[in-house]
Amino acid sequence: VEIVRYADRAHGRTFKNDLHKGREVEQMNVSVLEMARERGRDPAVITYSTICDVADVDEKKRGYFGRHDVGHDQWNGDDLLQWGGPMLSPDAIRQRYQGQRMVALMSGAPANDWPEYSDQVVYGTWVTVGTNEEQSLVPLPANEKIREWVLNDYGNREAQIIGRARGARSEKTLQV
């Protein structure tokens, strides 16, 4: 699997208006066409549910975060274009964290390792992405341990998305 990262900004899950949504869809469709031209075949596409249904991509080759990022082989052997990221709402993050915190504490984990969730956030935090340090484009929890959990959770969901192409079993090099 060849992983190519093109990141110039954070793509949001919501849109300011229909014009903004239209521009996002248009930019995504251009990226799909460029990848198809470069690779010689149409990629599968995973994005937000709000633009998934209007993407100019075969219905069997498109999906959205929260539904198509785990547990299927539909894109086995396909190149994969990810438009945006599997960002969860603050409420969903809180619920996931609190659920894992409860299980960890019930299993005997030290309470210091699992602080009570706080809605306080920081902006522009420097985070490690691969081997690079990058300034975050999204607000992250102010508490370092909760921030680390959020970033690990996001990374785990990214790994699941990459795995949808099933590149480890492919005889050809796949691009994600």
Side-chain angles (χ1 to χ4, degrees), residues 8-33:
D8 58 353
R9 61 190 172 83
H11 299 278
R13 295 178 301 127
T14 58
F15 305 99
K16 297 174 195 144
N17 53 42
D18 287 342
L19 179 64
H20 178 223
K21 180 178 180 178
R23 280 196 314 259
E24 285 288 305
V25 170
E26 185 178 308
Q27 289 175 354
M28 183 184 67
N29 287 336
V30 167
S31 295
V32 170
L33 289 173

mmCIF file of all heavy atoms in Angstrom, residues 8-33:
data_model
loop_
_atom_site.group_PDB
_atom_site.id
_atom_site.type_symbol
_atom_site.label_atom_id
_atom_site.label_comp_id
_atom_site.label_asym_id
_atom_site.label_seq_id
_atom_site.Cartn_x
_atom_site.Cartn_y
_atom_site.Cartn_z
ATOM 1 N N ASP A 8 -4.090 20.292 2.979
ATOM 2 C CA ASP A 8 -3.852 21.726 2.972
ATOM 3 C C ASP A 8 -4.723 22.433 4.000
ATOM 4 O O ASP A 8 -4.489 23.555 4.351
ATOM 5 C CB ASP A 8 -4.075 22.315 1.587
ATOM 6 C CG ASP A 8 -5.465 22.070 1.056
ATOM 7 O OD1 ASP A 8 -6.232 21.341 1.695
ATOM 8 O OD2 ASP A 8 -5.792 22.618 -0.014
ATOM 9 N N ARG A 9 -5.751 21.722 4.475
ATOM 10 C CA ARG A 9 -6.635 22.304 5.477
ATOM 11 C C ARG A 9 -7.542 21.201 6.005
ATOM 12 O O ARG A 9 -7.584 20.106 5.463
ATOM 13 C CB ARG A 9 -7.474 23.425 4.888
ATOM 14 C CG ARG A 9 -8.389 22.958 3.758
ATOM 15 C CD ARG A 9 -9.014 24.134 3.046
ATOM 16 N NE ARG A 9 -9.716 23.704 1.880
ATOM 17 C CZ ARG A 9 -10.954 23.230 1.881
ATOM 18 N NH1 ARG A 9 -11.622 23.138 2.997
ATOM 19 N NH2 ARG A 9 -11.538 22.850 0.773
ATOM 20 N N ALA A 10 -8.255 21.520 7.062
ATOM 21 C CA ALA A 10 -9.215 20.561 7.608
ATOM 22 C C ALA A 10 -10.541 20.748 6.881
ATOM 23 O O ALA A 10 -11.031 21.863 6.757
ATOM 24 C CB ALA A 10 -9.396 20.789 9.103
ATOM 25 N N HIS A 11 -11.073 19.674 6.344
ATOM 26 C CA HIS A 11 -12.393 19.713 5.720
ATOM 27 C C HIS A 11 -13.419 19.433 6.806
ATOM 28 O O HIS A 11 -13.327 18.440 7.508
ATOM 29 C CB HIS A 11 -12.511 18.655 4.618
ATOM 30 C CG HIS A 11 -11.528 18.864 3.515
ATOM 31 N ND1 HIS A 11 -11.738 19.753 2.497
ATOM 32 C CD2 HIS A 11 -10.313 18.330 3.292
ATOM 33 C CE1 HIS A 11 -10.702 19.741 1.675
ATOM 34 N NE2 HIS A 11 -9.818 18.888 2.139
ATOM 35 N N GLY A 12 -14.390 20.294 6.931
ATOM 36 C CA GLY A 12 -15.378 20.139 7.984
ATOM 37 C C GLY A 12 -16.482 19.156 7.645
ATOM 38 O O GLY A 12 -16.678 18.793 6.495
ATOM 39 N N ARG A 13 -17.206 18.747 8.690
ATOM 40 C CA ARG A 13 -18.340 17.840 8.513
ATOM 41 C C ARG A 13 -19.592 18.588 8.118
ATOM 42 O O ARG A 13 -20.563 17.999 7.682
ATOM 43 C CB ARG A 13 -18.617 17.086 9.819
ATOM 44 C CG ARG A 13 -17.527 16.154 10.245
ATOM 45 C CD ARG A 13 -17.840 15.473 11.565
ATOM 46 N NE ARG A 13 -18.044 16.441 12.622
ATOM 47 C CZ ARG A 13 -19.120 16.474 13.403
ATOM 48 N NH1 ARG A 13 -20.077 15.611 13.266
ATOM 49 N NH2 ARG A 13 -19.227 17.376 14.346
ATOM 50 N N THR A 14 -19.584 19.895 8.321
ATOM 51 C CA THR A 14 -20.756 20.708 7.998
ATOM 52 C C THR A 14 -20.332 21.831 7.058
ATOM 53 O O THR A 14 -19.144 22.087 6.871
ATOM 54 C CB THR A 14 -21.375 21.312 9.267
ATOM 55 O OG1 THR A 14 -20.382 22.102 9.928
ATOM 56 C CG2 THR A 14 -21.864 20.220 10.212
ATOM 57 N N PHE A 15 -21.308 22.509 6.495
ATOM 58 C CA PHE A 15 -21.029 23.534 5.502
ATOM 59 C C PHE A 15 -21.728 24.831 5.870
ATOM 60 O O PHE A 15 -22.799 24.825 6.465
ATOM 61 C CB PHE A 15 -21.488 23.058 4.117
ATOM 62 C CG PHE A 15 -20.876 21.750 3.755
ATOM 63 C CD1 PHE A 15 -21.588 20.575 3.921
ATOM 64 C CD2 PHE A 15 -19.569 21.675 3.321
ATOM 65 C CE1 PHE A 15 -21.011 19.351 3.627
ATOM 66 C CE2 PHE A 15 -18.984 20.461 3.028
ATOM 67 C CZ PHE A 15 -19.701 19.295 3.182
ATOM 68 N N LYS A 16 -21.098 25.946 5.504
ATOM 69 C CA LYS A 16 -21.662 27.264 5.804
ATOM 70 C C LYS A 16 -22.960 27.491 5.043
ATOM 71 O O LYS A 16 -23.889 28.099 5.548
ATOM 72 C CB LYS A 16 -20.651 28.347 5.443
ATOM 73 C CG LYS A 16 -19.375 28.274 6.234
ATOM 74 C CD LYS A 16 -18.365 29.285 5.718
ATOM 75 C CE LYS A 16 -17.005 28.937 6.272
ATOM 76 N NZ LYS A 16 -15.944 29.201 5.347
ATOM 77 N N ASN A 17 -22.985 27.017 3.790
ATOM 78 C CA ASN A 17 -24.164 27.200 2.942
ATOM 79 C C ASN A 17 -24.047 26.251 1.749
ATOM 80 O O ASN A 17 -23.063 25.502 1.630
ATOM 81 C CB ASN A 17 -24.282 28.664 2.477
ATOM 82 C CG ASN A 17 -22.989 29.166 1.828
ATOM 83 O OD1 ASN A 17 -22.350 28.469 1.050
ATOM 84 N ND2 ASN A 17 -22.598 30.388 2.166
ATOM 85 N N ASP A 18 -25.034 26.273 0.864
ATOM 86 C CA ASP A 18 -25.031 25.364 -0.284
ATOM 87 C C ASP A 18 -23.872 25.634 -1.232
ATOM 88 O O ASP A 18 -23.332 24.706 -1.842
ATOM 89 C CB ASP A 18 -26.356 25.448 -1.040
ATOM 90 C CG ASP A 18 -27.500 24.781 -0.293
ATOM 91 O OD1 ASP A 18 -27.213 23.964 0.615
ATOM 92 O OD2 ASP A 18 -28.670 25.070 -0.605
ATOM 93 N N LEU A 19 -23.471 26.899 -1.369
ATOM 94 C CA LEU A 19 -22.333 27.227 -2.226
ATOM 95 C C LEU A 19 -21.054 26.584 -1.684
ATOM 96 O O LEU A 19 -20.278 25.996 -2.439
ATOM 97 C CB LEU A 19 -22.173 28.749 -2.316
ATOM 98 C CG LEU A 19 -21.009 29.241 -3.167
ATOM 99 C CD1 LEU A 19 -21.208 28.841 -4.632
ATOM 100 C CD2 LEU A 19 -20.882 30.761 -3.053
ATOM 101 N N HIS A 20 -20.845 26.660 -0.378
ATOM 102 C CA HIS A 20 -19.674 26.040 0.254
ATOM 103 C C HIS A 20 -19.696 24.527 0.029
ATOM 104 O O HIS A 20 -18.691 23.923 -0.331
ATOM 105 C CB HIS A 20 -19.661 26.388 1.749
ATOM 106 C CG HIS A 20 -18.529 25.772 2.493
ATOM 107 N ND1 HIS A 20 -18.693 25.202 3.727
ATOM 108 C CD2 HIS A 20 -17.211 25.625 2.199
ATOM 109 C CE1 HIS A 20 -17.526 24.736 4.158
ATOM 110 N NE2 HIS A 20 -16.620 24.979 3.250
ATOM 111 N N LYS A 21 -20.857 23.907 0.233
ATOM 112 C CA LYS A 21 -20.984 22.472 0.022
ATOM 113 C C LYS A 21 -20.675 22.122 -1.430
ATOM 114 O O LYS A 21 -19.946 21.168 -1.713
ATOM 115 C CB LYS A 21 -22.396 22.003 0.386
ATOM 116 C CG LYS A 21 -22.610 20.519 0.194
ATOM 117 C CD LYS A 21 -24.010 20.116 0.614
ATOM 118 C CE LYS A 21 -24.244 18.636 0.425
ATOM 119 N NZ LYS A 21 -25.577 18.223 0.866
ATOM 120 N N GLY A 22 -21.194 22.910 -2.361
ATOM 121 C CA GLY A 22 -20.941 22.665 -3.783
ATOM 122 C C GLY A 22 -19.467 22.730 -4.131
ATOM 123 O O GLY A 22 -18.966 21.923 -4.912
ATOM 124 N N ARG A 23 -18.754 23.693 -3.540
ATOM 125 C CA ARG A 23 -17.310 23.807 -3.797
ATOM 126 C C ARG A 23 -16.560 22.594 -3.253
ATOM 127 O O ARG A 23 -15.632 22.097 -3.886
ATOM 128 C CB ARG A 23 -16.761 25.095 -3.171
ATOM 129 C CG ARG A 23 -17.014 26.330 -4.003
ATOM 130 C CD ARG A 23 -16.147 27.509 -3.582
ATOM 131 N NE ARG A 23 -16.092 27.718 -2.155
ATOM 132 C CZ ARG A 23 -16.794 28.634 -1.492
ATOM 133 N NH1 ARG A 23 -17.607 29.420 -2.127
ATOM 134 N NH2 ARG A 23 -16.665 28.761 -0.179
ATOM 135 N N GLU A 24 -16.942 22.141 -2.062
ATOM 136 C CA GLU A 24 -16.297 20.959 -1.484
ATOM 137 C C GLU A 24 -16.511 19.734 -2.375
ATOM 138 O O GLU A 24 -15.582 18.973 -2.639
ATOM 139 C CB GLU A 24 -16.832 20.677 -0.078
ATOM 140 C CG GLU A 24 -16.320 21.606 0.985
ATOM 141 C CD GLU A 24 -14.861 21.362 1.323
ATOM 142 O OE1 GLU A 24 -14.489 20.231 1.658
ATOM 143 O OE2 GLU A 24 -14.081 22.324 1.242
ATOM 144 N N VAL A 25 -17.741 19.540 -2.825
ATOM 145 C CA VAL A 25 -18.052 18.398 -3.691
ATOM 146 C C VAL A 25 -17.264 18.511 -4.995
ATOM 147 O O VAL A 25 -16.680 17.526 -5.464
ATOM 148 C CB VAL A 25 -19.572 18.312 -3.966
ATOM 149 C CG1 VAL A 25 -19.869 17.279 -5.044
ATOM 150 C CG2 VAL A 25 -20.323 17.984 -2.685
ATOM 151 N N GLU A 26 -17.213 19.714 -5.564
ATOM 152 C CA GLU A 26 -16.484 19.924 -6.815
ATOM 153 C C GLU A 26 -14.997 19.621 -6.639
ATOM 154 O O GLU A 26 -14.383 18.940 -7.467
ATOM 155 C CB GLU A 26 -16.678 21.370 -7.272
ATOM 156 C CG GLU A 26 -16.059 21.673 -8.619
ATOM 157 C CD GLU A 26 -16.327 23.116 -9.024
ATOM 158 O OE1 GLU A 26 -17.499 23.542 -8.993
ATOM 159 O OE2 GLU A 26 -15.346 23.810 -9.365
ATOM 160 N N GLN A 27 -14.409 20.106 -5.539
ATOM 161 C CA GLN A 27 -12.992 19.837 -5.286
ATOM 162 C C GLN A 27 -12.735 18.349 -5.077
ATOM 163 O O GLN A 27 -11.734 17.807 -5.548
ATOM 164 C CB GLN A 27 -12.515 20.621 -4.069
ATOM 165 C CG GLN A 27 -12.405 22.097 -4.309
ATOM 166 C CD GLN A 27 -12.046 22.873 -3.044
ATOM 167 O OE1 GLN A 27 -11.978 22.317 -1.953
ATOM 168 N NE2 GLN A 27 -11.821 24.165 -3.186
ATOM 169 N N MET A 28 -13.640 17.679 -4.373
ATOM 170 C CA MET A 28 -13.488 16.245 -4.153
ATOM 171 C C MET A 28 -13.575 15.500 -5.484
ATOM 172 O O MET A 28 -12.763 14.611 -5.762
ATOM 173 C CB MET A 28 -14.544 15.715 -3.191
ATOM 174 C CG MET A 28 -14.356 14.229 -2.884
ATOM 175 S SD MET A 28 -15.654 13.566 -1.837
ATOM 176 C CE MET A 28 -17.047 13.676 -2.932
ATOM 177 N N ASN A 29 -14.541 15.855 -6.328
ATOM 178 C CA ASN A 29 -14.694 15.186 -7.615
ATOM 179 C C ASN A 29 -13.472 15.390 -8.499
ATOM 180 O O ASN A 29 -13.055 14.472 -9.219
ATOM 181 C CB ASN A 29 -15.970 15.660 -8.321
ATOM 182 C CG ASN A 29 -17.228 15.109 -7.672
ATOM 183 O OD1 ASN A 29 -17.197 14.074 -7.008
ATOM 184 N ND2 ASN A 29 -18.334 15.806 -7.848
ATOM 185 N N VAL A 30 -12.846 16.573 -8.439
ATOM 186 C CA VAL A 30 -11.603 16.809 -9.179
ATOM 187 C C VAL A 30 -10.508 15.878 -8.656
ATOM 188 O O VAL A 30 -9.768 15.275 -9.440
ATOM 189 C CB VAL A 30 -11.182 18.293 -9.089
ATOM 190 C CG1 VAL A 30 -9.749 18.489 -9.560
ATOM 191 C CG2 VAL A 30 -12.137 19.172 -9.892
ATOM 192 N N SER A 31 -10.417 15.723 -7.352
ATOM 193 C CA SER A 31 -9.416 14.824 -6.768
ATOM 194 C C SER A 31 -9.653 13.380 -7.200
ATOM 195 O O SER A 31 -8.701 12.641 -7.487
ATOM 196 C CB SER A 31 -9.434 14.911 -5.236
ATOM 197 O OG SER A 31 -9.032 16.184 -4.821
ATOM 198 N N VAL A 32 -10.915 12.974 -7.267
ATOM 199 C CA VAL A 32 -11.258 11.616 -7.725
ATOM 200 C C VAL A 32 -10.796 11.431 -9.167
ATOM 201 O O VAL A 32 -10.164 10.416 -9.507
ATOM 202 C CB VAL A 32 -12.772 11.350 -7.589
ATOM 203 C CG1 VAL A 32 -13.159 10.053 -8.288
ATOM 204 C CG2 VAL A 32 -13.185 11.305 -6.123
ATOM 205 N N LEU A 33 -11.090 12.404 -10.029
ATOM 206 C CA LEU A 33 -10.690 12.310 -11.439
ATOM 207 C C LEU A 33 -9.174 12.283 -11.591
ATOM 208 O O LEU A 33 -8.636 11.515 -12.395
ATOM 209 C CB LEU A 33 -11.279 13.475 -12.236
ATOM 210 C CG LEU A 33 -12.775 13.427 -12.470
ATOM 211 C CD1 LEU A 33 -13.259 14.727 -13.122
ATOM 212 C CD2 LEU A 33 -13.159 12.230 -13.335
#
